[in-house]
Amino acid sequence: MDSGTESRLATQGAGITVQRALELPGLRSGLPEILAGGDRLGRTVRWVHAGEVPNIASLLKGGELLLTTGYGLGTRPAEQRAFVRTLAERGIAALVVELGPRFTRLPAALVDTARAAGLPLVQLHREVPFVTVTEEIHTEIVNGHYALLQRAEEVHRRCTEALLGGGGVPQVLGILADFCANPVFLETADGRLLYAAGSGPEGADPLQVWEGLRGPHKDAPPPAGSVLVDVPGGGPGAGAGSVRARLVLLPVRSPLAVVHRMAAERAAGIVAVVLMQARQEEELAARGRGDFLTDLAEGRITAEDAPAQARVLGFKPGGSPLLPVVMRVGDSLSPSGGWAVLARAVSEELASVGVPVLLGVRPVEGRVLVLLGLRAEPERPAVADRVAAALRAGVERAGMRRPGAAPPVVVVGVAGGWAAASAGLRHAAETATAAQGLTDRPWYDARRLDIDLLLWRLRDHPDLAAFVDRAIGPLRDHDHRSKPPLLPTLETYLAHAGRKAETARELHLNRQTLYNRLARIGELLGTDLDDPQTVLALSLALRARRHTP
């Protein structure tokens, strides 16, 4: 089949047009003449039927091209008009009458009724073998079906490759949107938006399209020509025929055809696999919000576009300052835990904070990202306290802490507008990673960890390791060989800014023992612990050693 025919089939759906049928050798050899319905030749021929009985319409389902020599049309004009009207009401594609012994020219009653009903009527001036015509058209239809299946299977293959390559729902929807040349959406069974892909008219954001056509009208039928395909559910407790989500294709850029539905049905199977892996819709929705917050942090979503997309996700802070918060769970995750459970638990805990909240998860990085709407910037510390407590409580409720594992790290960024939120989320996410191993606190202020972040960024640079080795290498060597270790003493001493009484109290040492240890440290390092430059270098080295071998 040539590419032009395949293209026409993709547009028209499962079948060929009346026009195409007339172009095939079988009917073309009969010298067809179109007497009525010339403007309806784009109708789809679903099948071919040949017959000579008056009540043949009762045998048809619609979409057929009917071949006849006219013996069943009747002899009286009233019979002929009734014959055509019943065929038109049945919805056949076209009526083709072969001239011969019964008719040398089709009666006016037949032609006029066909014109009034909008039914394509064709007379053949030469005899043709109906079996040949039927075989040709059926072969063309079957080939068309096969061509459509091939195109749909190609989409399935690409989606499968994307999934095996580490992609997920966004990649699958992107492939489907490109194929359909229309925006594609994944909704929950109750109509909440999870993902969007493609673009609307003139490159409009798909979220704007969804918000305009689906957001306020979840219970209303979708626009005419839309394609909705259920994504089957699965997992424990899921009944037969359960629906986990729904693919929605909206024809806002070009019409959707049967091949697009076929491709969507195959893509739905891929999405079902992803959802079964995720196991719960809460995780999928939280991942979608996590993707949005990550895209915002990494600059893939502009400050101008972010508010509209956030509204679609249910976050409506108005004009209040935005407070970015990032929790890094990291290695504290328990294998028995799940991100769906964590997302639900944290969401329930955050509900008591009393401010607008957008919560997302990023399992790959082991992060929970939160954006909050403050009433005023001065309430930042109080809100940070409540949010940090809620995040940690959610981790405990979800059972995601390994026994003996370090607690999660919560970092609070700077409050501001959408542009500040973008930079703040990025800064907080990096800082949460850099803060691993620090003394546990309910939450860290991202602004006070810039030195740790700088050192973390230099973690792979050989000069950092060399600096740490020069600064505190002799103490590390001593602590490997001898007791008591001296590095904890130095850390505590510097943490208390050189105040010996406070250092001794925290270490539970008497003054003289502390003085002896400090003297030994100075001797091993060959430095004066009262020198400000030395104190600065040692403080940096102690912070940097967490990031070096």
Side-chain angles (χ1 to χ4, degrees), residues 285-299:
R287 287 190 185 207
R289 294 189 295 269
D291 291 344
F292 164 75
L293 291 171
T294 299
D295 287 344
L296 177 65
E298 295 180 0

Side-chain angles (χ1 to χ4, degrees), residues 443-462:
W443 59 276
Y444 298 91
D445 190 329
R447 295 171 297 189
R448 303 189 64 180
L449 293 180
D450 280 341
I451 292 177
D452 294 276
L453 178 57
L454 176 61
L455 295 172
W456 176 77
R457 288 173 174 168
L458 295 172
R459 63 192 180 281
D460 295 325
H461 200 291

Side-chain angles (χ1 to χ4, degrees), residues 3 130 290 329 352 380:
S3 59
F130 282 179
V329 185
S352 63
R380 175 178 180 267

Side-chain angles (χ1 to χ4, degrees), residues 308-496:
Q309 297 192 30
R311 283 197 302 274
V312 172
L313 297 175
F315 183 58
K316 301 174 183 178
S320 60
L322 303 174
L323 181 65
V325 179
V326 174
M327 176 174 69
R328 189 176 190 278
V329 185
D331 297 334
S332 65
L333 278 178
S334 167
S336 61
W339 285 93
V341 179
L342 176 64
R344 185 169 61 252
V346 170
S347 295
E348 291 172 357
E349 294 288 340
L350 286 173
S352 63
V353 175
V355 297
V357 176
L358 182 64
L359 167 74
V361 300
R362 290 283 290 184
V364 174
E365 295 93 353
R367 294 175 186 158
V368 176
L369 301 98
V370 184
L371 202 58
L372 304 106
L374 302 179
R375 285 181 289 271
E377 203 282 335
E379 69 175 357
R380 175 178 180 267
V383 171
D385 286 339
R386 298 200 299 272
V387 170
L391 289 171
R392 287 171 171 251
V395 173
E396 296 297 333
R397 280 180 53 188
M400 297 186 74
R401 280 279 303 279
R402 282 196 180 99
V409 173
V410 178
V411 175
V412 179
V414 180
W418 281 101
S422 174
L425 281 169
R426 181 171 59 254
H427 186 208
E430 285 189 315
T431 304
T433 302
Q436 295 288 302
L438 290 177
T439 303
D440 183 36
R441 293 181 182 176
W443 59 276
Y444 298 91
D445 190 329
R447 295 171 297 189
R448 303 189 64 180
L449 293 180
D450 280 341
I451 292 177
D452 294 276
L453 178 57
L454 176 61
L455 295 172
W456 176 77
R457 288 173 174 168
L458 295 172
R459 63 192 180 281
D460 295 325
H461 200 291
D463 288 349
L464 184 64
F467 163 68
V468 172
D469 191 58
R470 288 195 305 272
I472 61 172
L475 280 187
R476 289 195 302 194
D477 294 341
H478 169 274
D479 288 358
H480 286 317
R481 298 189 310 265
S482 307
K483 299 292 183 182
L486 296 177
L487 275 172
T489 300
L490 178 60
E491 283 184 300
T492 306
Y493 177 71
L494 295 177
H496 287 287

